[in-house]
Amino acid sequence: MPYYNESRPSIWRNIPPATLNLLIVNAIVYLFSFIAEMRGSDVVIEYLAVFFPKSPFFRPWQVLTYMFVHANFAHLFFNMWALFLFGMALEKAIGTKKFLILYFAGGIGAYLLHTGVEWIQYSHYLAAGMETSAFNLLRTPTLGASGAVYAIEVAFAVVYPNMVLMLIFPPVRLKAKWMILIFIGIELVTGITGTLDGVAHFAHLGGALVGFVLMWIWKKRNRW
């Protein structure tokens, strides 16, 4: 499938279709969420973010829609910036179909691992008589494209392991394989220690794991 489209404005011509459309959908959902919040409504979070399965706010479709909901502009910006940087090259390398499979499988894998950790926490709260903590867990949404984006980043590192990337802070240059390993290590440590509370570290790790497994399978079968 050609990625250059004369019908697009020049600034968009070189962005592959799946990457472009994911950027647009995420931006649109954030806009609706922002407007709703300005009007004092949490309807987008309530219905599209994903909740713990035992929560009264849980809906089956949230397992997919939560990937398109973001807490604030910074959350949206950094996820979309990573999707733009890594997604463009990766989609051209593996094709649009596999790219979309990778993205959504990464998001679902992120949800599954995160929810598994929540089950452990929820069971612990109930066993320890911490009803307030259990109640708060039921009312806490999970949202964002981070898990899916981690799958994209890991897949990029598999396809282009020796491509040198530049970190913004600190300003150092690293090969993609080392940079992604560092990111995963940070997520693992912060997830286990509970550092940076409020960040779904295990969702990120779940997305990264799915990204690696899928790319390993496709690479072994010479499918990209």
Side-chain angles (χ1 to χ4, degrees):
M1 175 184 294
Y3 297 111
Y4 182 88
N5 189 335
E6 289 289 352
S7 65
R8 297 183 190 172
S10 59
I11 193 172
W12 303 114
R13 285 177 180 172
N14 292 321
I15 305 179
T19 301
L20 177 61
N21 284 296
L22 287 170
L23 291 170
I24 292 172
V25 172
N26 274 279
I28 290 174
V29 173
Y30 175 74
L31 179 61
F32 276 108
S33 178
F34 179 78
I35 293 172
E37 185 178 352
M38 292 294 290
R39 294 181 175 180
S41 172
D42 292 328
V43 63
V44 175
I45 302 295
E46 182 178 344
Y47 284 96
L48 299 186
V50 68
F51 289 83
F52 187 65
K54 293 182 71 69
S55 170
F57 300 109
F58 175 77
R59 306 288 187 275
W61 63 78
Q62 295 171 349
V63 176
L64 291 177
T65 58
Y66 91 96
M67 304 177 210
F68 299 97
V69 185
H70 290 83
N72 49 53
F73 180 76
H75 190 202
L76 173 74
F77 175 79
F78 286 111
N79 274 338
M80 295 304 98
W81 181 244
L83 175 61
F84 174 76
L85 289 180
F86 295 102
M88 283 186 62
L90 183 65
E91 185 178 347
K92 291 177 181 179
I94 68 175
T96 296
K97 181 179 179 179
K98 284 187 175 62
F99 183 84
L100 286 172
I101 291 172
L102 181 69
Y103 186 89
F104 285 104
I108 293 171
Y111 162 77
L112 291 175
L113 184 57
H114 175 71
T115 302
V117 173
E118 283 191 322
W119 271 106
I120 296 172
Q121 292 175 323
Y122 184 72
S123 300
H124 168 72
Y125 293 150
L126 293 181
M130 302 168 65
E131 287 82 6
T132 300
S133 296
F135 177 77
N136 289 337
L137 188 150
L138 294 179
R139 298 180 63 85
T140 302
T142 299
L143 61 161
S146 301
V149 170
Y150 258 83
I152 298 300
E153 291 176 347
V154 168
F156 178 92
V158 172
V159 177
Y160 303 106
N162 295 314
M163 180 175 289
V164 177
L165 304 174
M166 182 74 177
L167 280 174
I168 298 176
F169 183 81
V172 296
R173 295 166 63 86
L174 288 172
K175 290 183 178 180
K177 58 185 178 183
W178 302 125
M179 184 177 291
I180 299 304
L181 281 174
I182 290 172
F183 287 167
I184 291 173
I186 292 172
E187 292 293 342
L188 182 60
V189 171
T190 51
I192 292 174
T193 60
T195 310
L196 298 176
D197 191 29
V199 178
H201 300 291
F202 287 99
H204 300 169
L205 292 171
L209 178 61
V210 169
F212 177 79
V213 170
L214 274 179
M215 294 306 297
W216 181 80
I217 292 172
W218 289 337
K219 185 175 182 180
K220 188 175 182 180
R221 295 178 179 177
N222 295 317
R223 294 292 180 86
W224 58 268

